[in-house]
């Protein structure tokens, strides 16, 4: 479909996996526009997308040897970018929790069980946010997680205040319904068609 940018061919990828530095550099350069496109569709803001894309390209450069099937590069990179965007969400949620002042007379140190439950809840919220449509995810993260003023969010996304509020309401409603159904994990955004298998990768 994309006539201007194509993924690196399998012969080039195999040469990069065999340690040819020129081929590896070419693979990274040719993958860059696709990786940036993935990041812009998955992350909350252009800056987050840039950070995620850079991290994904570094991982590609360092760990291309872990790619089992050369035809699965697109699917592998999509997963890496998605994991990086979700990691950013988890960091934002955690920082926001840490910034919330403790209630008077509250225990200064949570128990081990409470700490585990809190981490599980953060992961569950992050997954639910990651499953939102991109337009809803962007406005929710910018308004509720990053704490930006509504007018600034509307301006950044090119929306009227009314449109921003409507989109935010839909995002909050979708998120609340997802979190109210603990036995049903939110469905992630679909991966692009894979050309082969990949090994699981976690950041």
């Amino acid at each position: 479909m994309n006539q201007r940018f194509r993924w690196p061919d399998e012969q080039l990828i195999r040469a990069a996996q065999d340690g040819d530095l020129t081929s590896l550099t070419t693979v990274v350069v040719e993958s860059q526009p696709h990786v940036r496109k993935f990041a812009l569709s998955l992350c909350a803001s252009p800056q987050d997308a840039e950070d995620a894309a850079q991290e994904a390209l570094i991982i590609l450069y360092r760990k291309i040897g872990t790619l089992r099937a050369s035809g699965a590069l697109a699917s592998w990179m999509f997963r890496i970018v998605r994991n990086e965007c979700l990691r950013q969400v988890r960091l934002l949620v955690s920082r926001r929790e840490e910034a919330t002042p403790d209630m008077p007379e509250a225990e200064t140190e949570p128990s081990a069980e409470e700490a585990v439950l809190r981490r599980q809840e953060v992961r569950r919220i992050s997954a639910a946010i990651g499953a939102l449509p991109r337009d809803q995810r962007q406005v929710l993260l910018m308004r509720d997680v990053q704490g930006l003023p509504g007018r600034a969010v509307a301006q950044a996304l090119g929306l009227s205040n009314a449109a921003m509020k409507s989109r935010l309401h839909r995002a909050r409603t979708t998120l609340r319904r997802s979190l109210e159904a603990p036995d049903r994990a939110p469905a992630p955004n679909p991966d692009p068609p894979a050309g082969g298998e990949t090994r699981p990768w976690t950041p």
Side-chain angles (χ1 to χ4, degrees):
M1 274 173 69
N2 192 332
Q3 298 298 321
R4 186 178 178 187
F5 298 116
R6 291 185 299 176
W7 284 97
D9 60 48
E10 294 189 28
Q11 184 177 355
L12 187 65
I13 294 171
R14 284 194 293 269
Q17 289 180 307
D18 290 340
D20 182 73
L21 188 58
T22 301
S23 298
L24 176 56
T25 303
T26 304
V27 167
V28 172
V29 170
E30 291 185 0
S31 299
Q32 183 173 339
H34 306 287
V35 170
R36 290 182 185 279
K37 185 177 179 181
F38 287 160
L40 285 169
S41 70
L42 291 168
C43 293
S45 69
Q47 182 57 56
D48 289 345
E50 181 65 24
D51 292 344
Q54 288 297 326
E55 183 64 24
L57 291 169
I58 289 170
I59 291 168
L60 170 62
Y61 187 86
R62 292 178 176 173
K63 299 187 178 183
I64 193 171
T66 66
L67 178 64
R68 181 178 298 175
S70 56
L73 178 62
S75 179
W76 186 54
M77 293 309 298
F78 182 89
R79 291 188 179 97
I80 291 174
V81 172
R82 183 180 62 189
N83 286 343
E84 182 61 22
C85 290
L86 289 176
R87 186 184 71 83
Q88 292 172 349
V89 172
R90 287 194 291 270
L91 284 174
L92 283 169
V93 172
S94 298
R95 286 170 186 162
R96 195 163 180 82
E97 283 189 347
E98 290 170 3
T100 303
D102 293 333
M103 294 296 291
E105 301 181 7
E107 293 183 6
T108 54
E109 288 292 332
S111 67
E113 182 181 359
E114 288 172 337
V116 170
L117 290 174
R118 181 175 294 180
R119 284 196 298 271
Q120 289 176 344
E121 184 65 11
V122 168
R123 284 196 294 268
R124 195 163 76 93
I125 292 171
S126 299
I129 292 174
L132 290 172
R134 183 194 174 205
D135 58 343
Q136 294 183 22
R137 182 171 63 248
Q138 281 183 321
V139 71
L140 183 81
L141 287 172
M142 294 174 76
R143 185 72 182 92
D144 289 352
V145 179
Q146 295 175 334
L148 297 175
R151 185 171 296 178
V153 174
Q155 242 179 356
L157 297 177
L159 300 171
S160 66
N161 283 334
M164 185 278 298
K165 289 178 181 178
S166 174
R167 188 176 294 183
L168 179 61
H169 174 73
R170 290 199 303 273
R172 286 170 173 170
T173 300
T174 304
L175 183 63
R176 184 176 66 251
R177 287 174 180 167
S178 177
L179 295 176
E180 284 173 353
D183 294 330
R184 295 172 57 192
N189 291 320
D191 289 354
E197 283 187 22
T198 58
R199 291 174 182 161
W201 182 90
T202 53

